[in-house]
Amino acid sequence: MNWKMNNSSKIVLVIFMFIASLANARDIVLIEKSNPKPISEREAILILPGLGTFNHNTKSQKENFRDKGYDIFIPDYISRKSVSDCSKNVLEFYDKHELKKYKHVHVFSYIIGSWTINEILLSGNKPQNIVSIIYDRSPMQEMAPRILVDENKFFSKILFGKLIFELANTPYKSIENDELNIGILIECKATKLMNKKKKSLVNYDPISWKMESLNQNPDDFEFLYVSHDDMYTKLEIIAPSVFQFVKNGKFSEGSLRSHCEKEPFEDYLSK
């Protein structure tokens, strides 16, 4: 029997796997049972993952964030329709799990999560107990939706719905809020996907790693030589920085605050 798959079969398989992952998606709530404090004195971390969950699930997030002094909430919030619907889902999750009762809530947002939390902030619907946001930003990976849409609109729509077109065509909306502590973790390393799309990057404006190019004015930032895949699978590297910012409103003194010395594609050149 010939088990080799043509491109059409591969596309069908990918779509099936993606739909199956959506069917199995669920909200994740990790309450630290050893914490004797009432909910009004407790703190929570709300994690807003992105499409990387489809490939990598939330195993590393659960392993590296649970039982660290915070209750952890990871909503199944991503809508194929729009960022606006993603925002509504997050607010419904917030109400359903009574996050408004917590003393403080800290948000750790991936790429779609960042668009989503910013939509909530700009709409004026921000829950009052959200005190800090740690954004995962990647000047390179944020190009992925635009490249995928430009190269295959049909497949992109089938797989990700209208959402990916909105991400591809909507500039990042800057948030100015003196009430929030805002930190940014900036990925320096290309993902496997962007390594495959390396030649496509020449069709767009050069990627800038300068802080001002991120269209954001954070209280602190840190460059990390990790890829967007690593943000899902190697959180033992990233989680300490998140907790550092949550506790102190800034990253550690030894954090890298200039662009990584290694090139984004360096690790792929030897393979």
Side-chain angles (χ1 to χ4, degrees):
M1 182 179 294
N2 185 2
W3 288 96
K4 291 184 178 181
M5 301 175 66
N6 57 32
N7 287 335
S8 297
S9 298
K10 290 179 181 178
I11 291 174
V12 171
L13 178 61
V14 169
I15 293 173
F16 173 79
M17 291 174 63
F18 184 73
I19 293 174
S21 71
L22 292 178
N24 293 322
R26 61 185 179 86
D27 294 340
I28 295 171
V29 176
L30 304 172
I31 303 299
E32 186 165 340
K33 296 179 180 179
S34 62
N35 189 341
K37 294 181 180 179
I39 191 171
S40 61
E41 297 179 18
R42 297 164 73 104
E43 298 191 41
I45 297 178
L46 174 66
I47 301 176
L48 301 179
L51 295 177
T53 306
F54 162 51
N55 287 325
H56 307 299
N57 64 54
T58 57
K59 179 181 178 181
S60 187
Q61 294 167 352
K62 289 184 285 188
E63 289 178 348
N64 289 281
F65 281 92
R66 73 187 311 162
D67 300 326
K68 298 290 194 302
Y70 302 86
D71 293 343
I72 305 300
F73 295 85
I74 310 175
D76 168 29
Y77 74 97
I78 297 177
S79 166
R80 288 164 49 85
K81 295 180 180 179
S82 68
V83 172
S84 179
D85 277 8
C86 293
S87 302
K88 291 177 183 177
N89 292 339
V90 169
L91 291 174
E92 288 176 2
F93 175 91
Y94 214 92
D95 288 337
K96 177 182 176 182
H97 295 284
E98 301 185 318
L99 270 78
K100 290 181 180 179
K101 293 184 177 181
Y102 279 82
K103 180 180 180 180
H104 292 147
V105 174
H106 311 271
V107 179
F108 174 39
S109 62
Y110 288 68
I111 293 176
I112 294 178
S114 297
W115 260 254
T116 298
I117 193 64
N118 285 354
E119 177 93 1
I120 291 172
L121 295 176
L122 290 168
S123 69
N125 292 322
K126 181 187 83 68
Q128 293 301 308
N129 60 343
I130 292 180
V131 295
S132 65
I133 303 176
I134 300 95
Y135 292 91
D136 166 32
R137 298 293 306 274
S138 171
M140 182 174 291
Q141 189 66 20
E142 288 171 15
M143 289 289 298
R146 187 176 176 187
I147 293 174
L148 292 174
V149 166
D150 287 348
E151 294 187 353
N152 197 324
K153 288 183 172 62
F154 175 77
F155 181 61
S156 295
K157 186 174 183 179
I158 291 295
L159 193 56
F160 302 113
K162 295 179 180 178
L163 177 65
I164 195 168
F165 290 85
E166 186 174 355
L167 292 174
N169 297 302
T170 303
Y172 189 87
K173 298 176 182 178
S174 179
I175 295 299
E176 298 290 340
N177 192 316
D178 293 336
E179 298 176 358
L180 292 169
N181 288 327
I182 295 178
I184 304 179
L185 295 174
I186 307 165
E187 306 165 14
C188 296
K189 180 182 173 182
T191 58
K192 292 179 180 178
L193 171 64
M194 295 310 292
N195 186 51
K196 292 179 180 178
K197 300 294 183 181
K198 185 176 181 180
K199 293 181 179 179
S200 300
L201 291 173
V202 300
N203 299 319
Y204 303 90
D205 293 335
I207 293 173
S208 172
W209 302 94
K210 295 181 180 179
M211 269 303 306
E212 54 266 29
S213 301
L214 294 177
N215 194 29
Q216 205 160 9
N217 185 28
D219 294 290
D220 201 0
F221 60 93
E222 179 179 1
F223 286 92
L224 294 170
Y225 190 72
V226 296
S227 71
H228 200 59
D229 294 324
D230 296 333
M231 294 296 292
Y232 286 91
T233 62
K234 297 181 180 179
L235 276 163
E236 66 274 11
I237 300 173
I238 295 100
S241 292
V242 175
F243 286 119
Q244 172 73 18
F245 191 87
V246 164
K247 292 176 182 177
N248 302 298
K250 60 182 180 180
F251 298 113
S252 65
E253 291 185 4
S255 297
L256 182 62
R257 291 180 173 82
S258 59
H259 182 252
C260 302
E261 292 182 2
K262 294 179 71 174
E263 293 297 320
F265 300 100
E266 186 170 327
D267 281 8
Y268 300 100
L269 298 177
S270 60
K271 296 181 180 179

